[in-house]
Amino acid sequence: MKYIPQAQVICALYKGTEKITVLDRKDLIGDLVTIIDEAILFLKKHLNLRYEIKEIRRKEILEILEIAIREAVVNAVCHRDYFEKGANVMVEIFDDQVEISNPGSLPHGMTLEDFGKKSITRNPTIASLLHHIHYIEKMGTGINRMRKACKEAGIPEPEFEITGFFTILFRRKTSGNFGINIGINIGLNETQMKITELMK
C-alpha cells in the first residue's frame, strides 16, 4: 500500500493517568498496513494479558479484546483528515484508559444519529484498499463490534468524543481484576488437575 507522508501514528505509554511521564513511545511511519499492524502490536505489548485455562491448552485474553483495538486503530487511520498535516493519529495508553484519536470530526453528511449505523468514509480510496485486504467491511459495523467486544471482556463500552478530533476511549480494568481464570474440565487427568490447583 502506498506511503503517505502525513500518515503517521504516534504510540505512547504514560505513567499514571496524565500526559506527564512517557514510559515508552514509538513513532510509526510507513505504508498504512504496516503502521496499523505496528500500532496494534504496541497496544498488545503494553495491555494486560490474562490466561483462561478450561482445557489443556491455555487461552490468552487481552484486557481489551484485540478485535476492539484493531477496529479502533483501523478506523483512526482510515478516516483521519489527511489534509491536516500538522496532527497525527495518536494511540495513548494510561493506567486507567486507552485513547485512540485521529484528526477530523465525523465525515461530511454523517450525523450523530447515524453514528454506528451507517458508513460514510472521508477517504474512499483508502477505505477501498483496506476493504480489499479485509481490514474493514464498509458496512458501518465496526462501532458495534467494538461495543460487543468490550461487553465480552467485562469492561465498559467504548466512549466517543467528537470535536476537531475523533477519539475512542477504552476504560481499563485494574490489575487486581485481571489474572488467571481457571475452569474445571472433566477431561483433565489427575496431574493436570494438580497443576491447575497450584496455579490458582
Side-chain angles (χ1 to χ4, degrees):
M1 187 171 283
K2 186 178 179 181
Y3 167 68
I4 303 173
Q6 64 267 34
Q8 184 172 8
V9 175
I10 308 298
C11 299
L13 171 70
Y14 299 99
K15 180 180 180 181
T17 59
E18 298 180 294
K19 286 188 180 185
I20 298 175
T21 304
V22 179
L23 299 177
D24 191 12
R25 171 176 173 154
K26 194 165 186 180
D27 295 6
L28 306 177
I29 303 173
D31 67 88
L32 298 182
V33 172
T34 297
I35 62 176
I36 287 171
D37 290 344
E38 288 293 321
I40 292 167
L41 286 174
F42 185 90
L43 284 162
K44 291 172 70 174
K45 174 184 175 183
H46 292 297
L47 291 178
N48 293 321
L49 186 71
R50 71 179 170 90
Y51 304 110
E52 187 175 86
I53 304 173
K54 293 185 178 179
E55 299 175 354
I56 295 176
R57 183 170 294 180
R58 73 184 185 188
K59 183 178 180 181
E60 297 181 347
I61 303 174
L62 279 175
E63 59 176 300
I64 304 171
L65 296 185
E66 183 174 347
I67 187 173
I69 59 175
R70 175 174 289 277
E71 287 287 347
V73 170
V74 171
N75 183 80
V77 171
C78 180
H79 299 298
R80 70 151 288 171
D81 182 355
Y82 283 96
F83 289 103
E84 177 53 73
K85 299 181 180 180
N88 299 302
V89 171
M90 300 291 295
V91 174
E92 300 173 289
I93 305 172
F94 302 87
D95 284 358
D96 61 340
Q97 64 190 33
V98 172
E99 294 182 17
I100 299 173
S101 60
N102 61 272
S105 186
L106 289 177
H108 179 70
M110 177 175 281
T111 66
L112 289 174
E113 290 73 25
D114 296 328
F115 184 61
K117 300 176 183 177
K118 297 181 180 179
S119 176
I120 300 177
T121 178
R122 177 179 284 110
N123 306 300
T125 301
I126 291 173
S128 292
L129 289 169
L130 291 173
H131 173 68
H132 183 70
I133 59 174
H134 308 294
Y135 272 57
I136 64 171
E137 292 184 3
K138 296 203 300 183
M139 296 291 290
T141 58
I143 299 300
N144 288 332
R145 273 200 298 275
M146 282 188 277
R147 287 172 172 156
K148 181 180 179 182
C150 288
K151 186 176 181 180
E152 289 176 359
I155 61 175
E157 289 188 2
E159 300 170 28
F160 305 95
E161 297 177 359
I162 303 169
T163 57
F165 280 75
F166 181 90
T167 302
I168 300 175
L169 188 151
F170 296 100
R171 300 290 179 185
R172 299 185 67 186
K173 287 186 176 182
T174 61
S175 58
N177 294 330
F178 222 72
I180 298 176
N181 180 19
I182 301 177
I184 297 175
N185 188 303
I186 297 175
L188 297 180
N189 62 37
E190 185 177 349
T191 301
Q192 292 163 345
M193 290 296 291
K194 286 180 179 179
I195 292 171
T196 59
E197 286 300 319
L198 288 171
M199 292 182 71
K200 287 182 183 179

